[in-house]
Amino acid sequence: MFWAEGAQAIPNKQAIWDGRRCATYEELSAGASRVARALISQPGHVAGEIIAFWVPPSVQYVEIQWGIWRAGGVAVPLCVQHPTAELEHSLSEGGVSRVIHARGFDPHIEALRSAFPNVTFHSSDELLKARPGGAPPPLPVVDSTWAPRPAQILFTSGTTGRPKAAVATHGNIEAQVRTLVASWGWSSKDHALGVLPLHHTHGIINVLCCALAAGASVELFEKFDAGTIWDRLMRPRDGAKTTVFMAVPTIYSALLEWHDAQSPVTQTWLKEAASGLRLWVSGSAALPVSTLMRWREVSNHTLLERYGMTEIGMALSNPLGGERRAGSVGLPLPGVEVRLVDEAGVEVPGADRSGEIQVRGAMVFSGYFGREEATRASFTADGWFKTGDTAVRDEQGYYRILGRSSVDILKTGGYKVSALEIEEALCEFPGVREIAVVGVPDEKWGERVAAAIVPDPAVALEMERLEEFALRRLARYKVPTLWLECRALPRNAMGKVTKPEVLRLFSAVRR
Ligand code: AMP
């Protein structure tokens, strides 16, 4: 049980704070056992059951995550902000048979119940309070034979269709966590602020699982708010001084924006607070060098930029102790094999030549649930995972990301988004004849989702209603924030929409 090693070593230590509760490692373990026993006692429970949970970042989140693992199940954390349509997709794509949900999501749950009559729904409070009659059912013994078993499903966008369900085994997660704990120097002395959503690998693995495996503590926030985070850095909760912070570049931009709006005296205090951390990490999207430089002025720290992906965990990282290079994602992490491959599938030798990043190692996921063809297509014959990202390596082995091989994959605020999925959803709205979605470069968001629309002249297109329609169908971060009506989409001689031209339409309008 690598995930609960901290719990075994220091049971009485505070592990998690949320807005309402704090819990020691012992309390987390007890909560997890209660969840596991309740799950095992349920009619229809089977070993390896795929169980989704829809719970905000909290003590309860961890009790349920650990509880599902203790019961031998596969944990599927759902995004708490997703509309019903996205959740429906997650339940069917991930093969979910049981859902545990927090209070306050009732209208969605009612809709899901009728759409999925064969799925069992439990309220998290009831499950945690459950005291099954008779002798408690024995829990399975977790040991190293669990390594190849599926442990977690996360959803990730690709160039085709809707998000796919990436399955990570216990062995994958353990490899990811152990590498990061060692490489980034996690210890029981650390205290982290958890501001990232807990349905994505960055928040779940890099922050929560690493902290708890190392016996550290974490304060979880339901939502990121720059003022709240600065305040917490200056005024530690219960004496727990923050030592580690991890976020996407958009969050660093927001922290800088808030900082810059304060008086010079306050800025001095902020600098003192930020300098006191031992590690600031950025990832999940390209960190603009300007943000790195500004952050250095504000905190006296060089942000440690790393590169990873839902399917592989973290692969490349600037060093904890050595030189951190601006604009670079660093070197392969221990235990991760990384190579660059050209379009002919040949490994690129030496430095300064670009190629696709391919990754191999114990941390690489086992495949996409129920999608054998997509899984096969994402690996080479000799087992390297094809990331779809292009990079160059310098003489010292540091990698620099050049971009993605598909223009249809966008990164906005750290979220990976498929342009095609958005186009498909919005095309169904009356009055939209054609649509092309692109990512417009943006200092704060990395890319903003932008939609060029050709309206149907026979139907009046109501833009406000189109946005409402999009919010019902898609996660908020997938909904375009830039819209452009045009008479025709730019196409090449074959009739294919030329996305670089679409992008230029937006640049022309914004100038
Ligand atoms: P996700 O699976 O949502 O974590 O997205 C993974 C993708 O994010 C990668 O394939 C890259 O395209 C992008 N990414 C992650 N880290 C970085 C980084 N430091 N710089 C640039 N792109 C990144």
Side-chain angles (χ1 to χ4, degrees), residues 156 200-201 283-287 305-311 329 387 389 401 404 411 414 416:
T156 181
H200 187 274
T201 192
S284 290
L287 174 68
E305 187 174 7
R306 57 61 179 177
Y307 162 88
M309 207 173 169
T310 303
E311 289 90 333
V329 290
T387 63
D389 291 308
I401 308 288
R404 285 173 293 278
K411 265 274 161 163
K416 189 176 176 195

Side-chain angles (χ1 to χ4, degrees), residues 289-308:
V289 172
S290 57
T291 307
L292 178 137
M293 295 300 185
R294 281 286 293 125
W295 195 256
R296 206 181 263 166
E297 287 164 18
V298 163
S299 71
N300 280 330
H301 282 274
T302 301
L303 280 166
L304 181 152
E305 187 174 7
R306 57 61 179 177
Y307 162 88

